[in-house]
Amino acid sequence: MKKALSFVFACLSPLYLSSCSVNELSQIDWKWHDLPSRMLGSFIFLVFMFTTFKPKIRIIGKIAKGPLERNGKATVPEGGVDEWYWFKVVNMNSFFKVHDLKFSLFIMEPHYSGGKNVMFDSIELKKSDMPFLKSLSTLLGKNENDEFACRIRTSVDLEELMGRDKSIRLQVVAKHQLSGLTSYFTKDFNIDDIEEGNFVSGFWGFIKSKGNNRRDRRL
C-alpha cells in the first residue's frame, strides 16, 4: 500500500517525472511528512505552467470594411470582390510564438423555444488556418511586416447578414510554442463594430481609411 501511494505521489512531481524511471519511482522510500510539501510544489508548478506557458491571443474588437491593399494602395477587385470584412488577431506573448492557428466565424441568431437559445451558422473565410504568429519581441527588429499579427477576411456581406438582431463570433484556436498547450479565444461583434477603412499595423486596433507601408500578415 505504501509503495502504491509513493508511486502516485511521485508521479505528481514534475522533477521526478523528468529524472526517474517508472521502476525507480516505485522503489522510492517516501517520508510521509514530505508528502504535503511535494504535493504543494507540484500544484504550484502546474499552476505556473498553465498560466505562463499558454497562448495569449488578442482579437481586436472591431471589423474593418475595405479593399485588399498592397503597399498601402487598394488593388483591383480580387475574385470580383470590391470590399472585404477584416478581423485582426495579435499574439500578445512577448517571447514565444503560437502555432497551428485555426479561425472560425459564425453568425449567431437568437432563437426562442421555451427559453432563449442561440443558433449558430458558419461563415466562410478566405483562409481559416495559419502555421504560426511570431512573438511581440519582433517589434524590436527591423522587419517591415508585423508578423506577430494577422488579418483574416471574408467576402460575405456581414452588414446585410447581421441586421440589428444578429451578431458575429470569431473563434481562434492556437498552440503555445514551448509547452504545446492549446487554448481557444472568442470575440463577439455586432453591426456597430464595423468601420470603413483598414487596420493600422502593430498590436493596436485602430482603423484608418488609407493604409500604411508597414503591414500585418494577410490571410
Side-chain angles (χ1 to χ4, degrees):
M1 179 65 178
K2 182 178 179 180
K3 284 189 175 182
L5 289 174
S6 298
F7 178 80
V8 171
F9 288 121
C11 286
L12 291 174
S13 173
L15 295 176
Y16 280 92
L17 281 173
S18 61
S19 62
C20 299
S21 66
V22 174
N23 185 51
E24 289 172 333
L25 287 173
S26 65
Q27 297 178 3
I28 295 174
D29 183 19
W30 285 81
K31 294 180 180 180
W32 289 97
H33 63 270
D34 288 340
L35 296 181
S37 61
R38 293 183 184 277
M39 292 178 64
L40 178 61
S42 298
F43 175 75
I44 293 174
F45 178 83
L46 291 174
V47 171
F48 175 77
M49 281 290 294
F50 281 100
T51 55
T52 304
F53 298 105
K54 67 176 184 178
K56 298 177 181 178
I57 294 293
R58 179 190 178 198
I59 302 174
I60 302 300
K62 296 180 181 178
I63 303 172
K65 179 184 179 182
L68 176 65
E69 290 187 348
R70 299 192 188 281
N71 298 321
K73 297 181 180 180
T75 64
V76 295
E78 182 183 50
V81 179
D82 294 301
E83 290 187 308
W84 298 83
Y85 291 87
W86 301 85
F87 300 83
K88 184 171 180 177
V89 175
V90 184
N91 176 20
M92 298 301 293
N93 197 298
S94 300
F95 303 105
F96 297 103
K97 298 178 183 177
V98 288
H99 290 266
D100 301 331
L101 290 100
K102 308 291 183 185
F103 308 102
S104 302
L105 190 63
F106 304 95
I107 179 72
M108 301 188 300
E109 179 180 2
H111 178 68
Y112 299 91
S113 178
K116 185 177 180 180
N117 299 303
V118 179
M119 295 179 62
F120 287 83
D121 283 312
S122 60
I123 300 173
E124 183 180 4
L125 292 168
K126 175 66 176 179
K127 190 173 182 181
S128 60
D129 57 23
M130 189 171 190
F132 68 91
L133 282 178
K134 292 185 177 180
S135 66
L136 276 178
S137 60
T138 55
L139 273 172
L140 303 176
K142 296 182 179 180
N143 192 333
E144 64 180 14
N145 296 314
D146 290 334
E147 297 187 49
F148 54 82
C150 69
R151 294 180 294 153
I152 55 178
R153 51 185 162 139
T154 180
S155 60
V156 176
D157 189 338
L158 298 184
E159 291 169 289
E160 181 179 349
L161 188 63
M162 280 193 285
R164 303 304 306 183
D165 60 340
K166 300 178 185 177
S167 58
I168 296 289
R169 172 169 294 178
L170 177 64
Q171 177 178 290
V172 181
V173 180
K175 182 183 295 184
H176 192 274
Q177 176 188 8
L178 180 64
S179 66
L181 292 175
T182 299
S183 300
Y184 76 92
F185 307 83
T186 61
K187 190 76 174 180
D188 294 346
F189 305 86
N190 58 46
I191 196 169
D192 295 325
D193 295 319
I194 298 175
E195 295 184 18
E196 294 274 354
N198 288 280
F199 285 110
V200 300
S201 64
F203 53 80
W204 300 277
F206 303 126
I207 294 175
K208 64 178 183 178
S209 58
K210 294 183 179 181
N212 57 352
N213 292 329
R214 186 178 173 92
R215 303 309 306 163
D216 309 314
R217 299 174 73 177
R218 292 186 297 266
L219 292 179

